[in-house]
Amino acid sequence: MRKKNKEVQKIWSSPDFHGPVLKVEDLRLSFRVPVGAICAVDGISFELASGRSLAVLGESGSGKTSLGRAILRLLPRNVLTYTGKVFLEGVDIMKLSDGRFRQQVRWVKISMVTQAAMNSLNPVLKVGQQVAEPLLIHEQMEKDEAYERAREVFRTVGVPLDFLNRYAFELSGGMRQRVIIAMALITKPALIILDEPTSALDVLTQANIMNALKRIKQELNANFMLITHDIATSSELADEVACMYAGQLVEHGSAARFYHEPLHPYSQKLMASVPALHTEKRPDFIPGQPPSLLNPPKGCRFADRCHKRFDRCHEEPPLFNCSGELVKCWLYENG
Amino acid sequence: MPGELLLSAKDLKTWFELKRWGFLSAGFVRAVDGISFDLKPSESITIVGESGSGKTSLLRTILGLAQITGGEITFDGKIFDAREVKDLAWMRAHVGFVQQDPYGALPPFMDIRKILSEPLLINKVPKEEHEKRIRDAMEEVRLIPVDDFLPKYPHMLSGGQQQRLVIARAIILRPKLIVADEPVSMLDASVRVEILELLSNIQKSHNMSIIYITHDLSSVRYFSERVFIMYAGKIVEKANTRELVQNPLHPYAQVLLNAIPDPDHENAKKFKEVPPGEPPSLVNPPSGCRFHPRCPHAIEGLCNTQEPPEFEPAPHHSVECWLYK
Ligand SMILES: Nc1ncnc2c1ncn2[C@@H]1O[C@H](COP(=O)(O)OP(=O)(O)OP(=O)(O)O)[C@@H](O)[C@H]1O
Ligand SMILES: Nc1ncnc2c1ncn2[C@@H]1O[C@H](COP(=O)(O)OP(=O)(O)OP(=O)(O)O)[C@@H](O)[C@H]1O
Ligand SMILES: [Mg+2]
Ligand SMILES: [Mg+2]
């Protein structure tokens, strides 16, 4: 029992690691379908510094969930290719065997709140037991200790302690979502991936949960990767924003800049489509549709719908560095 | 005077009975609990409310799809009685319905031509008119080129195109009223605006009325003149859209407006003021004002005991709240 815990220590040997929490290099994930292959994550690279939270934005089908799943190696059966490097606190976790990954990474070092997870709680287990489970299974912790930790995280996410003994069906949607977040926090992971954590909830419940996440971020210095298409809500948590289009990263930069001055023409259009309640701005829409991931176009994937397209766009642009902000568009070739 | 109002609802109630062991009554879900409003021809209104506040139930009652428990609906000058088959047919012919879930709304084994012919057949539109009606409706929702789309099946369409097809079906009989239940909540932000503008343009060019239901307040102001705020089976505030956004009166409307973020990095630096608690049960709603347990301004001895009536502190702006008595 104890031995396994030591192994965890060994993989991440230096406790005061100073590099980025997460570093992804040329990550690719494609699925086999009857008519060919769908490349949902198409050569994505980025870094996330310690103590920062990243929002991953993009239209439905752009590959946001697939990116989260690729990082956590939660793969469906029909995977065709799965390559690249994922460094977690300096260790390339893509190299680990499935067994080691399951024991030492998933839920221990990285946890994920999956899309619509609140409907996936076990109906016959008390929620307290479900929240404590990762500790009992992955860290072989004593029961009392695990339950003490469960009480601690319930307090953190704002669920009354007597709910530990309730069943999922006895909780409202908002409370269930908090329980799921508690479960993701309990092992004190280095990275917490949240996939659309509030999209199914009411405005007020949503605001309550965002408050709880903000508090967790401040108090525990947690690193969140928030996957969502709700751009306004993402601004509640993000220090950085990554914007995806058709399986690729088209922009990655600071939130302070992104929300008021997006660089990529797609990000600009996406931001313009967000209705703002408190200003007079009229939202605009993006004409056309994103390309099929079965046979994506050769050059820039957004070119067909782009209002700033020019000759160069027949070729695929790299991610240009524009004073620290990364953008995959020929307009920024010279910074 | 008949003809002045297209639709008028008086003290509508729709309660669903809960059964225990299949026959014992275990109380009622008061999904719609005393709602009154008027709608003029070619007027558009939006009903905003949280999940479970009774929005869909209200629409279903108006359409005769849910059994009415109390109150009265007048449509186009006549009292509507959903128990009468001929009243139902008349309502269906004059009201177009855009359902909450576009994916479940379309029959998977029919192509677009079939889907759009169906309402024409049911309502005995002369055969020779069908082709033109179908093409017009498709052009109106911009499913073009029409000939490319006609033989397609729903699964071959994107979410936005499916929703346009649902709208085409809703307008093909040229109804006087369209009711649209969260027509865009399943779609991406970038497509939402397009669909809302489309609906709005169709409404204006045909002088139709529209009742638009949503839980997304931020999309309202580009779309309709009047907004109703719904909470726990009741409409707690009615106002012109701009007025409501600038000067919400009901404490619930105030916190709702406050809770909705605009995309801005400043949001990350501060906490939201949100009332505690969750929307109430509709089986045992709180006594008095239904919002009082969460209300920062609740008056002890009044708000928790007596239901507030509708006050009108400003012209065309009414609110069910004791603060405005
Ligand atoms: N197991 C699978 N097999 C085949 N294709 C898949 C599979 N999973 C996802 N896809 C496809 O990969 C693409 C990206 O899907 P993904 O779920 O990552 O998108 P997303 O950005 O999370 O979208 P949403 O906002 O709708 O959740 C989509 O085209 C999707 O249909
Ligand atoms: N046929 C029914 N039998 C019993 N209860 C029902 C029935 N239909 C609706 N309800 C209940 O009535 C209440 C109001 O539901 P309704 O669907 O009208 O809400 P809504 O405002 O449309 O919510 P949403 O935004 O989630 O669509 C809910 O508590 C719901 O569970
Ligand atoms: Mg997703
Ligand atoms: Mg509804």
Side-chain angles (χ1 to χ4, degrees), chain A residues 310-326:
Chain A
F310 64 112
D311 302 341
R312 211 55 215 272
C313 305
H314 292 297
E315 276 171 69
E316 183 177 335
L319 261 182
F320 291 110
N321 189 327
C322 180
S323 27
E325 311 284 318
L326 304 173

PDB file of all heavy atoms in Angstrom, chain A residues 310-326:
ATOM      1  N   PHE A 310      -6.700  36.990 -47.392  1.00  0.00           N
ATOM      2  CA  PHE A 310      -5.895  37.469 -48.522  1.00  0.00           C
ATOM      3  C   PHE A 310      -5.099  36.299 -49.105  1.00  0.00           C
ATOM      4  O   PHE A 310      -5.269  35.160 -48.660  1.00  0.00           O
ATOM      5  CB  PHE A 310      -5.043  38.677 -48.118  1.00  0.00           C
ATOM      6  CG  PHE A 310      -4.006  38.403 -47.059  1.00  0.00           C
ATOM      7  CD1 PHE A 310      -2.650  38.453 -47.368  1.00  0.00           C
ATOM      8  CD2 PHE A 310      -4.369  38.115 -45.747  1.00  0.00           C
ATOM      9  CE1 PHE A 310      -1.689  38.216 -46.395  1.00  0.00           C
ATOM     10  CE2 PHE A 310      -3.407  37.868 -44.777  1.00  0.00           C
ATOM     11  CZ  PHE A 310      -2.067  37.919 -45.096  1.00  0.00           C
ATOM     12  N   ASP A 311      -4.287  36.560 -50.130  1.00  0.00           N
ATOM     13  CA  ASP A 311      -3.617  35.485 -50.881  1.00  0.00           C
ATOM     14  C   ASP A 311      -2.934  34.449 -50.004  1.00  0.00           C
ATOM     15  O   ASP A 311      -3.008  33.263 -50.235  1.00  0.00           O
ATOM     16  CB  ASP A 311      -2.550  36.076 -51.818  1.00  0.00           C
ATOM     17  CG  ASP A 311      -3.162  37.062 -52.788  1.00  0.00           C
ATOM     18  OD1 ASP A 311      -4.394  36.982 -52.959  1.00  0.00           O
ATOM     19  OD2 ASP A 311      -2.422  37.888 -53.347  1.00  0.00           O
ATOM     20  N   ARG A 312      -2.248  34.937 -49.007  1.00  0.00           N
ATOM     21  CA  ARG A 312      -1.428  34.115 -48.139  1.00  0.00           C
ATOM     22  C   ARG A 312      -2.192  32.959 -47.491  1.00  0.00           C
ATOM     23  O   ARG A 312      -1.627  31.937 -47.123  1.00  0.00           O
ATOM     24  CB  ARG A 312      -0.886  35.052 -47.046  1.00  0.00           C
ATOM     25  CG  ARG A 312       0.466  34.739 -46.476  1.00  0.00           C
ATOM     26  CD  ARG A 312       1.495  34.651 -47.543  1.00  0.00           C
ATOM     27  NE  ARG A 312       2.475  33.630 -47.224  1.00  0.00           N
ATOM     28  CZ  ARG A 312       3.561  33.854 -46.514  1.00  0.00           C
ATOM     29  NH1 ARG A 312       3.845  35.053 -46.087  1.00  0.00           N
ATOM     30  NH2 ARG A 312       4.403  32.889 -46.242  1.00  0.00           N
ATOM     31  N   CYS A 313      -3.517  33.159 -47.327  1.00  0.00           N
ATOM     32  CA  CYS A 313      -4.321  32.235 -46.528  1.00  0.00           C
ATOM     33  C   CYS A 313      -4.482  30.859 -47.159  1.00  0.00           C
ATOM     34  O   CYS A 313      -5.025  29.951 -46.543  1.00  0.00           O
ATOM     35  CB  CYS A 313      -5.679  32.851 -46.226  1.00  0.00           C
ATOM     36  SG  CYS A 313      -5.500  34.463 -45.448  1.00  0.00           S
ATOM     37  N   HIS A 314      -4.002  30.680 -48.422  1.00  0.00           N
ATOM     38  CA  HIS A 314      -4.025  29.344 -49.021  1.00  0.00           C
ATOM     39  C   HIS A 314      -3.056  28.417 -48.328  1.00  0.00           C
ATOM     40  O   HIS A 314      -3.174  27.210 -48.392  1.00  0.00           O
ATOM     41  CB  HIS A 314      -3.668  29.420 -50.515  1.00  0.00           C
ATOM     42  CG  HIS A 314      -4.725  30.114 -51.311  1.00  0.00           C
ATOM     43  ND1 HIS A 314      -5.994  29.616 -51.415  1.00  0.00           N
ATOM     44  CD2 HIS A 314      -4.701  31.270 -52.006  1.00  0.00           C
ATOM     45  CE1 HIS A 314      -6.717  30.440 -52.150  1.00  0.00           C
ATOM     46  NE2 HIS A 314      -5.953  31.454 -52.511  1.00  0.00           N
ATOM     47  N   GLU A 315      -2.054  29.013 -47.672  1.00  0.00           N
ATOM     48  CA  GLU A 315      -1.093  28.215 -46.913  1.00  0.00           C
ATOM     49  C   GLU A 315      -1.491  28.211 -45.451  1.00  0.00           C
ATOM     50  O   GLU A 315      -2.066  29.186 -44.962  1.00  0.00           O
ATOM     51  CB  GLU A 315       0.291  28.880 -46.977  1.00  0.00           C
ATOM     52  CG  GLU A 315       1.108  28.573 -48.182  1.00  0.00           C
ATOM     53  CD  GLU A 315       2.329  29.481 -48.179  1.00  0.00           C
ATOM     54  OE1 GLU A 315       3.195  29.291 -47.302  1.00  0.00           O
ATOM     55  OE2 GLU A 315       2.379  30.405 -49.014  1.00  0.00           O
ATOM     56  N   GLU A 316      -1.139  27.133 -44.750  1.00  0.00           N
ATOM     57  CA  GLU A 316      -1.472  27.098 -43.332  1.00  0.00           C
ATOM     58  C   GLU A 316      -0.515  27.981 -42.539  1.00  0.00           C
ATOM     59  O   GLU A 316       0.698  27.815 -42.619  1.00  0.00           O
ATOM     60  CB  GLU A 316      -1.403  25.662 -42.808  1.00  0.00           C
ATOM     61  CG  GLU A 316      -1.819  25.611 -41.359  1.00  0.00           C
ATOM     62  CD  GLU A 316      -1.853  24.204 -40.779  1.00  0.00           C
ATOM     63  OE1 GLU A 316      -2.017  23.246 -41.543  1.00  0.00           O
ATOM     64  OE2 GLU A 316      -1.708  24.101 -39.551  1.00  0.00           O
ATOM     65  N   PRO A 317      -1.027  28.946 -41.768  1.00  0.00           N
ATOM     66  CA  PRO A 317      -0.134  29.794 -40.980  1.00  0.00           C
ATOM     67  C   PRO A 317       0.349  29.066 -39.731  1.00  0.00           C
ATOM     68  O   PRO A 317      -0.358  28.212 -39.202  1.00  0.00           O
ATOM     69  CB  PRO A 317      -1.043  30.968 -40.581  1.00  0.00           C
ATOM     70  CG  PRO A 317      -2.423  30.416 -40.598  1.00  0.00           C
ATOM     71  CD  PRO A 317      -2.446  29.294 -41.600  1.00  0.00           C
ATOM     72  N   PRO A 318       1.561  29.385 -39.256  1.00  0.00           N
ATOM     73  CA  PRO A 318       1.992  28.863 -37.953  1.00  0.00           C
ATOM     74  C   PRO A 318       1.408  29.748 -36.845  1.00  0.00           C
ATOM     75  O   PRO A 318       0.723  30.724 -37.129  1.00  0.00           O
ATOM     76  CB  PRO A 318       3.512  29.005 -38.015  1.00  0.00           C
ATOM     77  CG  PRO A 318       3.751  30.156 -38.929  1.00  0.00           C
ATOM     78  CD  PRO A 318       2.593  30.199 -39.895  1.00  0.00           C
ATOM     79  N   LEU A 319       1.672  29.398 -35.594  1.00  0.00           N
ATOM     80  CA  LEU A 319       1.277  30.269 -34.484  1.00  0.00           C
ATOM     81  C   LEU A 319       2.327  31.369 -34.374  1.00  0.00           C
ATOM     82  O   LEU A 319       3.468  31.098 -34.002  1.00  0.00           O
ATOM     83  CB  LEU A 319       1.259  29.481 -33.176  1.00  0.00           C
ATOM     84  CG  LEU A 319      -0.041  28.938 -32.599  1.00  0.00           C
ATOM     85  CD1 LEU A 319       0.235  28.238 -31.276  1.00  0.00           C
ATOM     86  CD2 LEU A 319      -1.113  29.989 -32.415  1.00  0.00           C
ATOM     87  N   PHE A 320       1.972  32.588 -34.734  1.00  0.00           N
ATOM     88  CA  PHE A 320       2.934  33.687 -34.625  1.00  0.00           C
ATOM     89  C   PHE A 320       2.934  34.239 -33.214  1.00  0.00           C
ATOM     90  O   PHE A 320       1.889  34.301 -32.565  1.00  0.00           O
ATOM     91  CB  PHE A 320       2.570  34.818 -35.598  1.00  0.00           C
ATOM     92  CG  PHE A 320       2.773  34.442 -37.030  1.00  0.00           C
ATOM     93  CD1 PHE A 320       1.692  34.250 -37.871  1.00  0.00           C
ATOM     94  CD2 PHE A 320       4.061  34.282 -37.539  1.00  0.00           C
ATOM     95  CE1 PHE A 320       1.875  33.899 -39.195  1.00  0.00           C
ATOM     96  CE2 PHE A 320       4.245  33.937 -38.871  1.00  0.00           C
ATOM     97  CZ  PHE A 320       3.153  33.747 -39.698  1.00  0.00           C
ATOM     98  N   ASN A 321       4.116  34.672 -32.761  1.00  0.00           N
ATOM     99  CA  ASN A 321       4.211  35.287 -31.452  1.00  0.00           C
ATOM    100  C   ASN A 321       4.166  36.795 -31.615  1.00  0.00           C
ATOM    101  O   ASN A 321       5.040  37.410 -32.212  1.00  0.00           O
ATOM    102  CB  ASN A 321       5.516  34.869 -30.773  1.00  0.00           C
ATOM    103  CG  ASN A 321       5.542  35.314 -29.330  1.00  0.00           C
ATOM    104  OD1 ASN A 321       4.989  36.354 -28.968  1.00  0.00           O
ATOM    105  ND2 ASN A 321       6.186  34.523 -28.495  1.00  0.00           N
ATOM    106  N   CYS A 322       3.118  37.387 -31.078  1.00  0.00           N
ATOM    107  CA  CYS A 322       2.894  38.810 -31.282  1.00  0.00           C
ATOM    108  C   CYS A 322       2.992  39.447 -29.907  1.00  0.00           C
ATOM    109  O   CYS A 322       2.025  39.457 -29.164  1.00  0.00           O
ATOM    110  CB  CYS A 322       1.504  38.932 -31.912  1.00  0.00           C
ATOM    111  SG  CYS A 322       0.917  40.538 -32.285  1.00  0.00           S
ATOM    112  N   SER A 323       4.143  39.902 -29.543  1.00  0.00           N
ATOM    113  CA  SER A 323       4.521  40.340 -28.192  1.00  0.00           C
ATOM    114  C   SER A 323       3.893  39.495 -27.083  1.00  0.00           C
ATOM    115  O   SER A 323       3.138  39.977 -26.251  1.00  0.00           O
ATOM    116  CB  SER A 323       4.251  41.830 -27.957  1.00  0.00           C
ATOM    117  OG  SER A 323       3.204  42.306 -28.757  1.00  0.00           O
ATOM    118  N   GLY A 324       4.213  38.197 -27.139  1.00  0.00           N
ATOM    119  CA  GLY A 324       3.779  37.297 -26.072  1.00  0.00           C
ATOM    120  C   GLY A 324       2.434  36.647 -26.325  1.00  0.00           C
ATOM    121  O   GLY A 324       2.101  35.637 -25.718  1.00  0.00           O
ATOM    122  N   GLU A 325       1.633  37.206 -27.229  1.00  0.00           N
ATOM    123  CA  GLU A 325       0.325  36.632 -27.530  1.00  0.00           C
ATOM    124  C   GLU A 325       0.480  35.775 -28.797  1.00  0.00           C
ATOM    125  O   GLU A 325       1.098  36.206 -29.764  1.00  0.00           O
ATOM    126  CB  GLU A 325      -0.698  37.751 -27.782  1.00  0.00           C
ATOM    127  CG  GLU A 325      -0.707  38.837 -26.713  1.00  0.00           C
ATOM    128  CD  GLU A 325      -1.389  38.396 -25.428  1.00  0.00           C
ATOM    129  OE1 GLU A 325      -2.441  37.738 -25.525  1.00  0.00           O
ATOM    130  OE2 GLU A 325      -0.856  38.686 -24.339  1.00  0.00           O
ATOM    131  N   LEU A 326      -0.082  34.561 -28.761  1.00  0.00           N
ATOM    132  CA  LEU A 326       0.101  33.654 -29.886  1.00  0.00           C
ATOM    133  C   LEU A 326      -1.128  33.650 -30.781  1.00  0.00           C
ATOM    134  O   LEU A 326      -2.250  33.540 -30.294  1.00  0.00           O
ATOM    135  CB  LEU A 326       0.364  32.242 -29.376  1.00  0.00           C
ATOM    136  CG  LEU A 326       1.562  32.128 -28.428  1.00  0.00           C
ATOM    137  CD1 LEU A 326       1.659  30.736 -27.839  1.00  0.00           C
ATOM    138  CD2 LEU A 326       2.851  32.491 -29.163  1.00  0.00           C
TER     139      LEU A 326
END
